[in-house]
Amino acid sequence: MAALPETSTFWQQILDHGIRPMVKNLSDNEVIAMTEKYGTHNYKPLLLNVVQGDGAEVWDGSGTRYLDCIGAYSALAHGHSSKLLAEVIVEQLDHLSVASRAVYTSEVALFMKGLAEYCDLDMVCPMNTGAEAIETCIKLARKWAYTVKGIPDNQAEIIVCEDNFHGRTTTIVGFSSEPGYKEHFGPFTPGFKIIPFGDASALEAAITSNTAALLIEPIQAEGGIIIPPDGYLAKARELCDKHNVLLIWDEVQTGFCRTGKRFAWQHENAKPDLVAVGKPLGGGILPVSAAVGTKAVMEVFSPGDHGSTFGGNPLGAVVALTALAQMEVEDFAGRSRDLGERLMKDLLGLNLSQVKEIRGRGLLIGIEVNEDVDSVKLGKLFLKNGLITKETRHKTFRLTPPIVISESQLDEVVSKIKMSFDQL
Ligand code: PLP
């Protein structure tokens, strides 16, 4: 690494030369060492320093190319370094980036109209991360329960599922069934009831007069790409209607075309009262999320009930609007459906003896390997062969590439997978 000029401090260097020269000067090993020294160890990254991305491809410091099948945990639908989104950002920076919700802005107004219409719902509460969108849904459901449904104060219950993943706040991990997510982080927020995923009878049995809402992922992505039995989503809608319970879909990962439709609830026409969205809404560039819902629910919020300094900012709003426009005009839903079917067919055609099951919908696919497979070794082989993927829970490797991935890149993904299993 080139030494910093003696007279120059770290900060002066940044102001005088910009950050690019410093970024370029760091070797892969220096980046890893610096990250581990100064960052908390709450992730266990692949041993890969990504320096450049384009669409579904990324490169490390030595110029080795990889196909990105994590896609920032489904956030990168539009791919790395989208030129369209970059142009929109540069143009918007000349006008306004963050104004806060203390004032009105046309960008945020247009964003809320566009997103509500895209979701076929009425109103939007903008946030930044998926976890914040979920927290927002929880607050909306509870206030609706007390002020509209008439549940006695502090008695509202929300039904959630085993193996859920809704984010990492203390309230959210409190109703996780994964010990590793919650150990040493209690005490937790009460008011959640955990039932098995995909079991409609358990759902009906869990509903009481104090049930405010049902909060579920239509497909459990982080839980191992678990798809519920046919009819479960529609049944959930029916039971919520029957018992005056709000249906909240967590579409943070499944939403925005990932499963071959705009939203996964559309596979069974199970329209929610509230939906949490995020990830690709920010075009894979900025954190933009929201709770979106019917007027009857969203109207329970009054000034001061909820907020976020950056939630609903003009820069994020124009990025999100452009991201939505690209999804629509370039038919991301059809693309994800067709490419997903092709990938699934090709993977099944490999007849891999080490694989227990391959499951998914659209470009949300999981490869579950047999219990006796050394998945750590397999993960290393994938990386060595130029494929970026990681295990979700239950020995399942995720394939969630950018939706802009090309057919020939998908063919390459399949051959890299075959090569890795052959070498195992
Ligand atoms: N909900 C689901 C279904 C998710 O998959 C995730 C993240 O993976 C979240 C919520 C949390 O989103 P974020 O990491 O943006 O807080």
Side-chain angles (χ1 to χ4, degrees):
M1 177 188 167
L4 297 180
E6 267 178 32
T7 51
S8 171
T9 66
F10 182 76
W11 306 115
Q12 195 65 51
Q13 170 111 350
I14 289 176
L15 292 184
D16 290 348
H17 305 289
I19 295 167
R20 286 312 303 167
M22 297 166 83
V23 167
K24 281 195 189 155
N25 268 343
L26 285 176
S27 70
D28 291 348
N29 284 341
E30 284 169 327
V31 169
I32 292 169
M34 199 185 282
T35 305
E36 295 303 323
K37 179 170 178 195
Y38 293 104
T40 56
H41 299 162
N42 51 327
Y43 277 89
K44 193 170 188 305
L46 300 171
L47 285 178
L48 171 67
N49 174 35
V50 173
V51 300
Q52 185 73 43
D54 182 10
E57 302 173 333
V58 298
W59 288 265
D60 69 12
S62 60
T64 305
R65 170 181 168 275
Y66 300 81
L67 287 168
D68 183 0
C69 281
I70 295 181
Y73 300 103
S74 301
L76 268 168
H78 303 74
H80 293 274
S81 312
S82 157
K83 301 276 173 297
L84 174 66
L85 293 171
E87 277 168 22
V88 166
I89 288 180
V90 170
E91 187 191 22
Q92 182 64 28
L93 286 175
D94 268 347
H95 302 281
L96 193 62
S97 39
V98 176
S100 89
R101 297 290 307 282
V103 295
Y104 289 92
T105 63
S106 350
E107 291 88 344
V108 175
L110 285 166
F111 162 65
M112 294 197 288
K113 173 181 156 60
L115 181 60
E117 288 182 5
Y118 187 93
C119 296
D120 194 19
L121 287 162
D122 305 321
M123 294 171 84
V124 169
C125 183
M127 288 284 131
N128 312 282
T129 63
E132 285 174 292
I134 294 292
E135 290 275 355
T136 307
C137 289
I138 292 170
K139 284 176 76 175
L140 282 163
R142 284 183 170 176
K143 189 160 183 196
W144 174 87
Y146 300 127
T147 60
V148 179
K149 182 165 173 174
I151 293 177
D153 250 4
N154 294 322
Q155 301 295 309
E157 288 171 355
I158 295 180
I159 298 174
V160 297
C161 287
E162 276 167 17
D163 291 324
N164 68 67
F165 186 82
H166 298 287
R168 299 291 199 156
T169 65
T170 41
T171 289
I172 293 172
V173 296
F175 59 80
S176 169
S177 57
E178 182 73 21
Y181 290 168
K182 50 198 303 190
E183 207 181 14
H184 306 311
F185 298 122
F188 299 117
T189 315
F192 297 93
K193 205 183 246 183
I194 305 181
I195 59 165
F197 180 63
D199 181 343
S201 321
L203 170 54
E204 182 147 35
I207 296 176
T208 69
S209 55
N210 286 343
T211 306
L214 172 63
L215 165 63
I216 325 190
E217 298 151 89
I219 295 176
Q220 290 185 324
E222 296 309 309
I225 325 282
I226 309 296
I227 303 173
D230 284 349
Y232 180 67
L233 307 187
K235 188 72 186 171
R237 177 67 273 175
E238 188 191 312
L239 290 174
C240 285
D241 284 340
K242 184 170 155 197
H243 297 280
N244 191 24
V245 166
L246 297 180
L247 177 60
I248 310 174
W249 291 128
D250 178 346
E251 293 257 13
V252 169
Q253 179 136 194
T254 50
F256 301 119
C257 311
R258 177 57 55 188
T259 70
K261 289 195 184 281
R262 276 188 185 181
F263 294 102
W265 63 258
Q266 292 175 318
H267 290 286
E268 295 191 3
N269 201 20
K271 185 171 165 179
D273 302 288
L274 267 175
V275 63
V277 293
K279 293 201 190 245
L281 183 57
I285 297 184
L286 291 173
V288 181
S289 74
V292 189
T294 59
K295 193 160 183 254
V297 180
M298 302 302 280
E299 272 194 336
V300 301
F301 268 173
S302 37
D305 273 353
H306 195 51
S308 156
T309 305
F310 287 90
N313 66 78
L315 189 62
V318 297
V319 168
L321 275 170
T322 312
L324 288 171
Q326 191 183 352
M327 289 183 215
E328 272 307 275
V329 173
E330 295 181 15
D331 187 21
F332 272 30
R335 231 188 126 69
S336 172
R337 182 195 59 227
D338 295 347
L339 293 177
E341 279 171 9
R342 178 192 168 108
L343 180 56
M344 184 70 104
K345 185 168 144 281
D346 291 350
L347 289 172
L348 290 171
L350 296 178
N351 287 318
L352 297 163
S353 61
Q354 304 99 321
V355 167
K356 186 170 167 196
E357 190 181 32
I358 302 177
R359 51 180 179 265
R361 214 164 243 172
L363 281 176
L364 178 65
I365 292 180
I367 303 177
E368 183 173 352
V369 295
N370 294 331
E371 276 306 319
D372 59 355
V373 168
D374 183 346
S375 46
V376 175
K377 188 169 171 199
L378 181 60
K380 284 184 182 157
L381 284 169
F382 283 142
L383 191 63
K384 184 174 140 276
N385 291 319
L387 183 77
I388 303 180
T389 173
K390 275 193 108 173
E391 266 181 285
T392 61
R393 277 175 272 170
H394 312 305
K395 292 200 112 128
T396 303
F397 286 88
R398 59 183 304 135
L399 297 177
T400 49
I403 293 175
V404 295
I405 193 167
S406 70
E407 292 190 357
S408 62
Q409 286 169 332
L410 269 190
D411 292 345
E412 246 190 280
V413 167
V414 175
S415 61
K416 285 176 189 300
I417 289 173
K418 180 175 180 338
M419 197 192 306
S420 307
F421 275 102
D422 286 348
Q423 292 165 354
L424 189 64

